[in-house]
Amino acid sequence: MEQLLLFVLLGLGPGALIAGIALGLVLTYRGSGAINVSAGAMAMFGAYFYYGLREGHLLLPLLYPDIGGPLPLPVAFVVAVAATGALGLLIDFAVFRPLRRQSPLAKLVAGVGVLMTIQAVIVLRFGGQGQSASDVLDTTALHVLGGTVPVNRLELVGIVLLAAVLLAAVYRRSRFGLATRAAQENEAEALLTGLSPQKLSMANSFLAATVCGALGILVAPMTQLDPNTLTIAVVPALGAALIARFTSFPIAALAGIGMGVLRAVTTYCQTQPWFPTADGTAVVGLTDVVYFLVIVAALIWRGKSLPVRGAYVEPRLPPAPAPKRVVRPAVVLTGLCVLALLTFPYDMRQALTNTMIGAIACLSLVVLTGFVGQMSLAQYAFAGVAGLTVSKLAINAGIGFPFGPVLGVLAATALGVLIGIPALRVRGVQLAVLTMAAAVAVQAFGFNNPSWGAGGNGSPVAAPTLFGVNLGPTGSFPINDADQPSPLFGFVCLILLLAVVSLVVGVRRSSLGKRMLAVRSNERAAAAVGISTRTVKLTAFALSAFIVGIAGVLYAYNFGSVDPSRFDIVNTFALIAFAYIGGITTVKGALIAGFMVTEGIASHILDSYLGLPTNYQLLIAGVLLVVTLIMNGSGIALQPPPKFTFVRRLLRRSDDDAPATATTAAAMSMAKVGGK
Amino acid sequence: MTAQPLLQVDALAAGYFGMPVVRGLSLTVGAGEVVALLGPNGAGKSTTLRAISRLQPAMAGTIRFRDEDITSLKPQAVARKGLVHMSDRRGIFHGLSVEEHFRLGDGGKSLDLGTAFAYFPALEPLRHRRAGLLSGGEQQMLGLARALARRPSVLIVDELSLGLAPVIVEQLLPVVRRYATDSQAGVLLVEQHIHLALEIGDRGLVLSHGDLVLEESAEAMRADRQLIMSSYLGEGPQSGKRSAAAG
Ligand SMILES: Nc1ncnc2c1ncn2[C@@H]1O[C@H](COP(=O)(O)OP(=O)(O)OP(=O)(O)O)[C@@H](O)[C@H]1O
Ligand SMILES: [Mg+2]
């Protein structure tokens, strides 16, 4: 019992961080209506900035100038907190302000872009490995309960609670607080009162960033200073903020500390003999499962009562036109791919294969986000489950091709439906939050488990063979198979890509597609005309997980093993970025996105031939994601084509001559529906 | 009427998605003057007010307030200059208490609670109650009290009577009249209760399908009901000529 209490005391450190991020989330939400998933990344930025100053350097994007020796602790702390505050201002000005009339989901996805950008800046400077952050607070040991606890844990809790109480008082008493509450309730009325919601939003973003930055600096020595740990602490913080209805500061802080204590208690339980084990060691990642469950519960309990921002414009959605001409481009592209697979050198062949698999993964987002307006941050979790199922079935049950992959895809679909079920109660942004927690939980509890996951060195995947022919990347092929991957595997990917494209095009053109768009544009109105929004959303989730499951199986065969890091949530962030940049509402957009995915064709050319490493590409992708969202999220695919009039006329001629068939007319009318 | 009107709108056009709902509208409001802007539903009255307070852009025309062109200012800047727009949402915030509405202030200045309670003594016992919990009439009182406490030089009010019993409207409108006379402020009043508005107003304007179809003294309009009837029912051309002649 005493030992448990000791664990709890130690857990107060991470708890304070979660609480601080939760305070930041509440502030940003009240100030600008955005659920800022990059709040954890801001804490991480603050911690790294402080680290840089203490090393005698100034941390800037792509630069790390010497400042002539380390700054003393208090100065470094103040400067680093101010720098994080400045970052908050910048993000408010450059990201959330231009997006203020967009849907809450667009704001959330923009947060993903910001997160990616910050993370890329840090990784480019410090790499993915952790640094040892130096202590900021007093580390004197207190002797309590027969053990020792550094006094800083208690100080931290004091600081966070004080911040929460101060913020609550400011919001209750000060004119700034009243004004923020007024602007949150109704922006137009606030304007008529002479208030400036944009300035209020900036002030709140600044406060949020300073709180996150300060806590990041203070807590980094107790957790770990790496690009991921602090960033992902936003997940439990989201849970805490939800419990506080994105409104109450004291509740957010207490719930955040509670989340930290929850982690400590789980860690304590892991030391107990009764704790479930796998392969002789205690099961890992249960905390993240608990966080997920807390978030589900909080959403069901609080979701309906989250304050909505009274903006005075209906957000516009990017159009999702039905594809008109399909057969010709498909034939041309297929021909080009076949030619490329038969002639490209091995590295470009691999890149093309990656592009095709990436395009399949992006198509899963077209269905879910482009057509139905829901967002899943768990796409690679679904993919990983599919891949892992293939691997485990082969190893443990001897089930190989083709039953393994089929079962794998079905497993991904089942998980998709499972996570989609809460979607029946929660919507839009809240659902995105839920899938984010799910992704982290699946990763920590599933993939990282050495027994049923792929912990350690990954779980091997045998090559798929059919009638003795190796269809995988290691197979042989009469032409161009001097090095892996075999063109044959490329053909397998191509066939599946074509199948998925047909599926998505078919869905968009079917009545289901129309219903999906109706749900996207207005759920209530859709329900009012008799559309079962539940069925539509659940179908979309199932379909999306099914498609990304196919991508997962292909990834597994592609790499010959399932490695947890391949199915990390960070990869889902990148996937979302590429899908948006390409154009998340159209099949064409997904294909463009496929070219850009990490290690895809464009990425490979940039990396190997033009000297732009993937980490820079991710930095650019993060920025471009934000830019795309600001331009109403239509992506490259829906941009007006460049005016090479002559060339286009040449290409178009045959189509213009063709008589308009019934199907094209139908497609056109649907395009109008989609365009609305 | 003074020589220089406080509010002068010239050839204003405003609308939505590039389609004007109000076209070529010109009107003036002088010091101490109450002007009633009347018209059937959907005529474009609220749109006009929103364009004047800059809540939505003017597609054409100019808006001058106290000799300053405000056509391209931001709504919050216009509000701080003393052009107060009490919209059909009453300018209140449900999450704030009655008292907090006055502490919220007006672009930096705190508002005088005393004046507000002097206008509407009924608000005093409710000072700690959240606005969302007030009745419709109490909310309207709060909105008007707050608008007046901001001491506007021009007050534009959208349907003070919305959802209220005529008895209460009869109490509220004279307050507006009194304020205009006492402070020499201009008031532009959108109303559905035509006779009540004309009773306290100096002039009346009738808007129909976005066009000004009638502009007359309140007295004349009160006297000749037929005048309003025909302008409301869209027997436009004739009265349109009239107003063109008048303008
Ligand atoms: N937000 C909007 N988007 C598009 N059209 C609008 C919008 N608001 C009003 N309209 C249209 O503009 C026209 C004028 O509307 P407005 O609200 O100005 O009328 P009104 O005279 O205030 O009517 P009422 O007496 O019913 O309040 C109407 O035809 C209405 O459909
Ligand atoms: Mg109106």
Side-chain angles (χ1 to χ4, degrees):
Chain A
M1 190 62 209
E2 286 183 352
Q3 219 194 346
L4 174 63
L5 280 174
L6 215 57
F7 268 90
V8 167
L9 283 177
L10 285 170
L12 293 179
L17 172 74
I18 296 168
I21 297 175
L23 290 178
L25 286 170
V26 173
L27 274 166
T28 317
Y29 189 78
R30 300 196 72 170
S32 66
I35 293 184
N36 181 10
V37 291
S38 70
M42 288 196 191
M44 186 242 330
F45 175 83
Y48 269 104
F49 199 94
Y50 174 80
Y51 175 84
L53 291 176
R54 297 289 281 158
E55 296 282 307
H57 289 277
L58 191 62
L59 172 61
L60 297 172
L62 311 181
L63 298 174
Y64 198 48
D66 203 310
I67 50 170
L71 288 188
L73 190 150
V75 182
F77 180 78
V78 172
V79 173
V81 170
T84 319
L87 177 69
L89 283 180
L90 175 73
I91 291 170
D92 187 274
F93 181 78
V95 181
F96 292 129
R97 177 179 295 195
L99 286 175
R100 67 187 183 282
R101 290 176 186 183
Q102 301 270 18
S103 67
L105 189 65
K107 294 177 186 171
L108 184 134
V109 177
V112 170
V114 172
L115 185 160
M116 280 179 68
T117 311
I118 298 178
Q119 220 174 28
V121 164
I122 299 297
V123 170
L124 280 171
R125 173 56 49 202
F126 299 97
Q129 258 37 58
Q131 312 285 329
S132 61
S134 58
D135 280 303
V136 187
L137 291 173
D138 192 358
T139 50
T140 320
L142 282 180
H143 295 276
V144 284
L145 308 166
T148 55
V149 176
V151 69
N152 56 22
R153 299 297 198 277
L154 300 176
E155 288 175 355
L156 265 177
V157 169
I159 290 172
V160 154
L161 290 180
L162 185 69
V165 170
L166 276 178
L167 285 173
V170 162
Y171 262 63
R172 272 199 75 74
R173 300 255 148 252
S174 77
R175 186 172 295 153
F176 160 73
L178 293 176
T180 305
R181 281 158 60 194
Q184 183 184 10
E185 187 179 317
N186 191 311
E187 275 193 19
E189 291 298 327
L191 285 170
L192 291 182
T193 297
L195 301 173
S196 173
Q198 299 181 16
K199 283 188 192 142
L200 290 167
S201 165
M202 288 198 96
N204 281 292
S205 292
F206 177 78
L207 278 178
T210 50
V211 173
C212 289
L215 265 303
I217 297 168
L218 296 177
V219 179
M222 298 166 208
T223 56
Q224 201 176 359
L225 183 54
D226 63 41
N228 265 334
T229 310
L230 297 186
T231 308
I232 294 303
V234 77
V235 171
L238 282 166
L242 274 173
I243 291 173
R245 288 180 56 229
F246 279 92
T247 302
S248 160
F249 295 105
I251 296 180
L254 287 174
I257 292 170
M259 290 291 207
V261 168
L262 216 53
R263 167 147 300 194
V265 171
T266 325
T267 317
Y268 167 79
C269 292
Q270 279 177 347
T271 65
Q272 299 302 302
W274 49 262
F275 198 77
T277 57
D279 268 7
T281 50
V283 165
V284 292
L286 262 183
T287 320
D288 295 294
V289 176
V290 174
Y291 285 167
F292 171 70
L293 294 177
V294 169
I295 286 182
V296 171
L299 277 174
I300 289 173
W301 173 41
R302 294 291 216 189
K304 284 257 159 56
S305 63
L306 282 197
V308 251
R309 199 170 176 81
Y312 64 104
V313 206
E314 277 280 301
R316 284 196 311 134
L317 299 168
K324 288 175 208 153
R325 284 179 288 274
V326 175
V327 177
R328 245 164 57 96
V331 170
V332 171
L333 279 177
T334 309
L336 284 176
C337 281
V338 170
L339 204 65
L341 285 170
L342 294 179
T343 56
F344 274 3
Y346 75 97
D347 62 327
M348 288 298 287
R349 223 157 53 222
Q350 179 65 62
L352 179 59
T353 312
N354 293 340
T355 281
M356 290 189 287
I357 305 176
I360 296 178
C362 289
L363 281 165
S364 74
L365 283 172
V366 170
V367 173
L368 189 63
T369 310
F371 294 172
V372 194
Q374 309 292 317
M375 175 49 85
S376 155
L377 298 175
Q379 291 307 84
Y380 270 115
F382 300 150
V385 165
L388 205 54
T389 309
V390 172
S391 166
K392 293 291 169 187
L393 281 179
I395 296 171
N396 298 334
I399 300 176
F401 193 82
F403 301 106
V406 169
L407 290 173
V409 172
L410 287 180
T413 313
L415 186 67
V417 171
L418 198 66
I419 293 180
I421 285 177
L424 305 181
R425 285 192 62 105
V426 301
R427 306 193 291 161
V429 255
Q430 306 181 9
L431 190 61
V433 168
L434 188 121
T435 56
M436 189 172 181
V440 173
V442 168
Q443 167 90 12
F445 180 74
F447 301 161
N448 287 347
N449 186 291
S451 170
W452 59 71
N457 301 322
S459 186
V461 179
T465 48
L466 191 64
F467 308 124
V469 180
N470 181 350
L471 299 175
T474 51
S476 63
F477 190 72
I479 314 166
N480 199 17
D481 78 335
D483 291 285
Q484 287 180 20
S486 153
L488 192 56
F489 182 61
F491 291 135
V492 171
C493 292
L494 181 60
I495 290 168
L496 285 169
L497 174 60
L498 283 172
V500 172
V501 164
S502 321
L503 174 68
V504 176
V505 169
V507 165
R508 175 62 189 80
R509 287 178 168 179
S510 69
S511 78
L512 174 64
K514 279 186 188 163
R515 277 179 280 149
M516 285 178 159
L517 287 182
V519 170
R520 181 183 83 141
S521 71
N522 190 331
E523 253 180 63
R524 292 211 175 84
V529 295
I531 294 172
S532 164
T533 56
R534 299 168 163 228
T535 318
V536 168
K537 284 200 278 184
L538 217 50
T539 312
F541 254 92
L543 211 55
S544 177
F546 174 80
I547 294 172
V548 84
I550 295 176
V553 169
L554 291 176
Y555 276 128
Y557 285 133
N558 192 19
F559 301 122
S561 86
V562 176
D563 178 353
S565 69
R566 291 268 175 196
F567 300 101
D568 202 345
I569 188 165
V570 177
N571 295 337
T572 303
F573 293 156
L575 185 75
I576 290 170
F578 292 121
Y580 262 96
I581 297 168
I584 200 153
T585 53
T586 53
V587 170
K588 185 177 160 197
L591 297 180
I592 296 174
F595 275 88
M596 296 185 292
V597 293
T598 307
E599 295 175 7
I601 289 206
S603 163
H604 180 68
I605 293 176
L606 284 173
D607 186 2
S608 303
Y609 297 100
L610 302 175
L612 190 75
T614 48
N615 278 328
Y616 284 93
Q617 295 172 16
L618 288 175
L619 176 71
I620 297 169
V623 174
L624 281 184
L625 169 57
V626 172
V627 172
T628 306
L629 287 163
I630 291 172
M631 292 162 57
N632 195 28
S634 4
I636 296 172
L638 290 178
Q639 296 310 309
K643 288 197 166 57
F644 306 121
T645 332
F646 173 70
V647 183
R648 286 186 52 218
R649 211 181 304 143
L650 263 184
L651 289 174
R652 276 262 183 88
R653 184 166 297 155
S654 57
D655 282 286
D656 292 343
D657 297 343
T661 59
T663 40
T664 46
M668 304 255 278
S669 73
M670 265 197 254
K672 276 182 205 135
V673 173
K676 173 70 184 81
Chain B
M1 237 190 280
T2 48
Q4 263 307 328
L6 284 174
L7 178 69
Q8 180 167 7
V9 176
D10 271 312
L12 176 75
Y16 306 89
F17 308 110
M19 293 285 288
V21 161
V22 175
R23 294 160 300 267
L25 177 71
S26 299
L27 61 86
T28 60
V29 181
E33 194 182 27
V34 175
V35 179
L37 181 59
L38 311 171
N41 291 123
K45 305 181 296 292
S46 301
T47 307
T48 306
L49 295 199
R50 278 199 292 267
I52 292 175
S53 65
R54 307 289 314 112
L55 210 51
Q56 77 182 58
M59 295 161 72
T62 53
I63 303 155
R64 297 183 71 79
F65 170 60
R66 288 201 308 201
D67 261 348
E68 188 190 350
D69 188 350
I70 58 163
T71 321
S72 52
L73 290 189
K74 288 186 174 163
Q76 62 266 43
V78 171
R80 286 191 208 135
K81 283 181 184 295
L83 195 164
V84 168
H85 176 182
M86 188 181 162
S87 78
D88 45 7
R89 283 204 77 255
R90 302 164 184 195
I92 62 167
F93 302 100
H94 289 196
L96 269 53
S97 74
V98 169
E99 197 184 28
E100 281 172 337
H101 275 83
F102 294 89
R103 270 205 287 132
L104 181 59
D106 178 22
K109 318 182 286 282
S110 217
L111 297 176
D112 184 14
L113 208 54
T115 350
F117 289 161
Y119 281 118
F120 298 107
L123 285 178
E124 184 137 28
L126 305 171
R127 59 192 296 165
H128 296 299
R129 190 169 297 180
R130 280 204 293 129
L133 302 178
L134 299 178
S135 76
E138 289 162 345
Q139 290 184 352
Q140 201 71 287
M141 276 186 224
L142 172 60
L144 188 56
R146 194 172 124 72
L148 295 181
R150 288 164 69 190
R151 313 231 43 95
S153 28
V154 168
L155 174 66
I156 60 182
V157 189
D158 201 349
E159 300 210 29
L160 200 54
S161 56
L162 197 73
L164 297 185
V167 207
I168 300 179
V169 185
E170 276 171 47
Q171 286 169 5
L172 291 179
L173 284 177
V175 177
V176 174
R177 171 77 258 180
R178 188 145 50 90
Y179 175 78
T181 314
D182 293 352
S183 328
Q184 282 300 295
V187 175
L188 182 61
L189 196 68
V190 166
E191 244 333 309
Q192 292 293 0
H193 290 265
I194 303 165
H195 56 287
L196 291 179
L198 289 176
E199 238 158 66
I200 62 141
D202 299 308
R203 274 190 296 136
L205 310 174
V206 178
L207 204 59
S208 180
H209 297 300
D211 298 310
L212 203 56
V213 290
L214 179 65
E215 179 164 11
E216 271 295 355
S217 76
E219 214 174 341
M221 287 171 83
R222 274 202 307 270
D224 188 357
R225 300 206 62 124
Q226 195 54 42
L227 210 58
I228 307 176
M229 283 291 253
S230 58
S231 68
Y232 257 65
L233 295 176
E235 289 163 19
Q238 255 191 347
S239 7
K241 263 179 225 142
R242 262 185 101 109
S243 82

